Amino acid sequence: MPRSVNHVASRAKRKRILKLTRGYFGARKNVWTVAKNTWEKGLTYAYRDRRNKKRNFRSLWIQRINAAARLEGMSYSVLMGKLSKAGIEINRKVLADLAVNNPEAFKAIVEKVK
């Protein structure tokens, strides 16, 4: 009896991966093994960078708060320390947004903790 192989499923699997690697450079888009390796490695980068993105945004917020605080004559660390002592629970994301888009509200917060 001849050997039975499910070509339909295996071809569909390869087509799916090759479709996902469309737009890559050179053999990465059309050579099956290279495309598969590239796609798998891309998934690990995506997993890693979803976590790094959170770090990068926190760093950006701290820089923005620091810049705005220094315009008010205070450093970032002093401002955050005084905020916690005053019992003002406001996160860095909101504080950075206020510093950039609503400087008068940020100034009011700084005056409250001084």
Side-chain angles (χ1 to χ4, degrees), residues 13 18 40-41 45 68 77 83:
K13 181 179 167 187
L18 289 172
E40 285 174 349
K41 191 158 192 177
Y45 285 144
S77 60
L83 278 172

Side-chain angles (χ1 to χ4, degrees), residues 20-40:
L20 290 170
T21 60
R22 211 173 60 198
Y24 287 8
F25 180 80
R28 291 168 163 247
K29 71 173 168 277
N30 55 15
V31 176
W32 160 244
T33 50
V34 180
K36 182 171 169 278
N37 292 340
T38 304
W39 172 74
E40 285 174 349

Side-chain angles (χ1 to χ4, degrees), residues 15-76:
K15 273 182 73 173
R16 182 174 55 87
I17 302 290
L18 289 172
K19 187 176 177 187
L20 290 170
T21 60
R22 211 173 60 198
Y24 287 8
F25 180 80
R28 291 168 163 247
K29 71 173 168 277
N30 55 15
V31 176
W32 160 244
T33 50
V34 180
K36 182 171 169 278
N37 292 340
T38 304
W39 172 74
E40 285 174 349
K41 191 158 192 177
L43 292 178
T44 63
Y45 285 144
Y47 178 84
R48 179 196 70 189
D49 291 337
R50 279 194 297 275
R51 279 132 193 90
N52 288 353
K53 185 172 153 186
K54 294 163 184 58
R55 296 178 212 161
N56 291 339
F57 268 103
R58 184 181 170 97
S59 172
L60 176 67
W61 298 331
I62 289 170
Q63 289 168 23
R64 286 177 174 176
I65 295 166
N66 190 22
R70 286 185 187 274
L71 290 174
E72 304 300 325
M74 195 182 291
S75 73
Y76 167 81

Side-chain angles (χ1 to χ4, degrees), residues 92-112:
R92 287 163 181 83
K93 181 179 178 179
V94 173
L95 208 54
D97 186 55
L98 287 176
V100 172
N101 297 322
N102 201 344
E104 52 276 353
F106 184 81
K107 190 172 190 166
I109 291 171
V110 171
E111 292 301 320
K112 188 153 184 141

